[in-house]
Amino acid sequence: MRLTAREIAELAGGRVEGDAAAAVSGIATPATATSAHLIFVEDARLLENALASAAGIVVAGPFAAGAAFHGALVVCDQPRLAFARAARVLAPPATMPPGVHATAIVHASAGLGRDVAIGPYAVVDEGASLGDRVQVGPGCHVGAGVRVGAGTILRSHVVVYPGTTIGDRVILHAGTVLGSDGFGYVRDAGSGRYEPFPQVGRLVIEDEVEMGTLCTVDRGALGETIIGRGTKLDNQVHVAHNCRIGRNVVIAAQTGIAGSSVVEDGAVIAGQVGIADHVTIGEGAILGAQCGVPTGKVLRGPGTLFWGTPARPIRQVLKELATLARLTRKKV
């Protein structure tokens, strides 16, 4: 596949300076690029290095307007986004050919859409439904009655429990488990014994969600756990039962969210954040790495960065640290 500078500019909503018919067939870094490659630069301080590369096309921000370059220059407001869109065309992810592998086990009552691919040793149980162009990788298990939307990809060894609905164009990376029982127990005050509380709810994954490797998302106890459209989970993220994660939320690796918590649309959660039960993270809020959010806490403020344990606005944390530093310097 090839893209011209004109086509890349159309993807980016930008303009071409130089030969609009110049074409590339791959992506690279400035250090490794050849004339067949597209690169990008979003920092004016790195522009000189990019323009000195052998790349055929450079995507850059408005700061590059009028710059001299031997190839074609695509100037746009969001060069990283433009590069990512072009990369999906020039370097698409690997896909499986349609068909059911001879070692796969697919129940006779399962519904398969057009051009479905099911890999070696995968299992699709009774009453499951796979939409058009779904890919089920090696060793996956799709449980009874599960619904998987069109264009969704399950990489190897993904497990989807019964009671789960997955939307369109979802990507689930290796080892992720969806719809397992939540961590719900009731303690007998007399004996001290813990007995299981029913975990019979559902899990709903909306369209265009992506989850990294080894994520776990529990079904609702009696109701639903919901992951909203366009949300992205990094590797090893855990979402417990009855949580509601909004749309276009980003959650980095090793974050854990306890039961019945709510994360509203557009929130950003950094790595190793611990969120207790019944917490609300407001729309557009940002939680810095290793935050700890106690039970029942409500954190609101679009664009506000929270940090520390217990999590609080970063300005407050920095004032507290500065005060502590002054106190430790005082002579006793």
Side-chain angles (χ1 to χ4, degrees), residues 7-14 59 74-79 81-83 85:
E7 291 169 330
I8 294 168
E10 290 172 354
L11 289 173
V59 179
V74 176
V75 178
C76 62
D77 291 332
Q78 299 184 78
L81 178 61
F83 183 83
R85 288 175 175 172

Side-chain angles (χ1 to χ4, degrees), residues 233-257:
L233 275 58
D234 194 3
N235 301 329
Q236 298 178 321
V237 171
H238 173 62
V239 179
H241 59 198
N242 301 334
C243 285
R244 292 179 177 264
I245 310 299
R247 295 185 171 195
N248 299 315
V249 172
V250 177
I251 305 176
Q254 298 182 358
T255 287
I257 304 176

Side-chain angles (χ1 to χ4, degrees), residues 8 38-42 57-61 73-74 76 78-79 82-83:
I8 294 168
L38 171 71
I39 66 171
F40 79 100
V41 57
E42 59 180 350
I57 303 176
V58 173
V59 179
L73 189 62
V74 176
C76 62
Q78 299 184 78
F83 183 83

